[in-house]
Amino acid sequence: MRHTTAAAAVTATLCAAALACSTQAGPPRFQARPADPLSARVTAVPAKKLGASYRNGCPVPPEQLKLIRMNHWGFDGRTHPGELVVHENAVRPLLHVFQRAFDARFPIRRMRVMAEYRNDSEAMAEDNTSAFNCRPVTGDPRRLSQHAWGDAVDINPVENPYVDVHGVVHPPKGRPHLQRSLNQPGQIHPGDAVTEAFREVGWRWGGRWANRDYQHFSANGE
């Protein structure tokens, strides 16, 4: 009986020591998820959330579009509410992507529906992240943009500018960001959380095009 008691005492001492060591150890091997959730909600799109971004003759009807309301990290280190209008088939892929971006605390300047802007140039100048917009390709009015189908998204246009077929930078104040640096918040780079998340859902990045479109991702690569 004395041997059992002694063994129990040794075991208790070792367990206490191990607990003390664990409390003095470094940070955990696995990073905890941020306290603020993505809090995504998906609904039909009210007419006022489409505004001038939709018109007769667009390739998808309004009933095939969805409004995603979700949080995102800002450049101020805080979470902010955002809204995207997307095709119904793009909802699940984009929820995956923006959850990954949120978990990585990737900063997004703002995320507002295109109905709040007069045109795409104004939205880009405001560094607005957007998806559906029934419009021509920026810099090439002969072709309809993939955004008109609702399965393309532009992220942080100032930090991730587009250079069109004529060599014009969109938006103009994005020109300094043609110099790509991992130290610049909000820029998108090969292999980062954003590009990897889009790769996982099968979407492709315009940052690899001959005419770089660092802000642009789409389901069909156009």
Side-chain angles (χ1 to χ4, degrees), residues 54 58-65:
Y54 187 88
C58 289
V60 295
E63 55 267 23
Q64 290 183 6
L65 299 172

Side-chain angles (χ1 to χ4, degrees), residues 2 13-14 24 47 65 80 106 115 121 133 136 142 146 154 171:
R2 287 195 301 270
T13 302
L14 291 174
Q24 296 172 12
L65 299 172
H80 300 269
F106 177 82
S121 295
N133 190 8
R142 299 167 300 174
Q146 196 60 35
D154 291 341

Side-chain angles (χ1 to χ4, degrees), residues 40-193:
R41 292 173 293 147
V42 181
T43 66
V45 187
K48 66 180 181 179
K49 295 292 184 180
L50 287 177
S53 70
Y54 187 88
R55 62 181 186 276
N56 291 334
C58 289
V60 295
E63 55 267 23
Q64 290 183 6
L65 299 172
K66 297 294 182 182
L67 175 64
I68 303 177
R69 293 183 173 97
M70 58 186 162
N71 290 335
H72 64 85
W73 289 101
F75 283 75
D76 58 0
R78 300 179 180 180
T79 58
H80 300 269
E83 293 183 329
L84 281 182
V85 174
V86 306
H87 191 277
E88 59 188 1
N89 293 339
V91 170
R92 290 187 67 182
L94 289 179
L95 286 179
H96 172 82
V97 167
F98 284 100
Q99 181 68 68
R100 285 283 307 272
F102 188 90
D103 289 348
R105 291 180 178 255
F106 177 82
I108 293 173
R109 184 79 61 187
R110 55 179 52 85
M111 186 188 293
R112 299 174 181 168
V113 296
M114 288 302 301
E116 297 189 22
Y117 295 94
R118 289 176 297 178
N119 52 50
D120 189 52
S121 295
E122 183 179 83
M124 283 194 291
E126 287 283 305
D127 206 12
N128 186 57
T129 293
S130 64
F132 174 78
N133 190 8
C134 190
R135 61 170 176 81
V137 171
T138 301
D140 188 358
R142 299 167 300 174
R143 297 191 297 124
L144 199 60
S145 168
Q146 196 60 35
H147 290 273
W149 279 265
D151 58 358
V153 62
D154 291 341
I155 300 175
N156 290 346
V158 172
E159 287 76 21
N160 302 288
Y162 165 49
V163 183
D164 70 22
V165 293
H166 306 291
V168 179
V169 179
H170 304 270
K173 64 181 180 180
R175 180 175 289 278
H177 288 280
L178 292 177
Q179 298 295 320
R180 312 302 287 167
S181 170
L182 293 172
N183 296 322
Q184 289 292 328
Q187 284 192 2
I188 298 170
H189 297 275
D192 68 7

Side-chain angles (χ1 to χ4, degrees), residues 28-40:
R29 288 181 299 169
F30 302 103
Q31 184 177 5
R33 290 169 63 89
D36 298 275
L38 189 71
S39 298

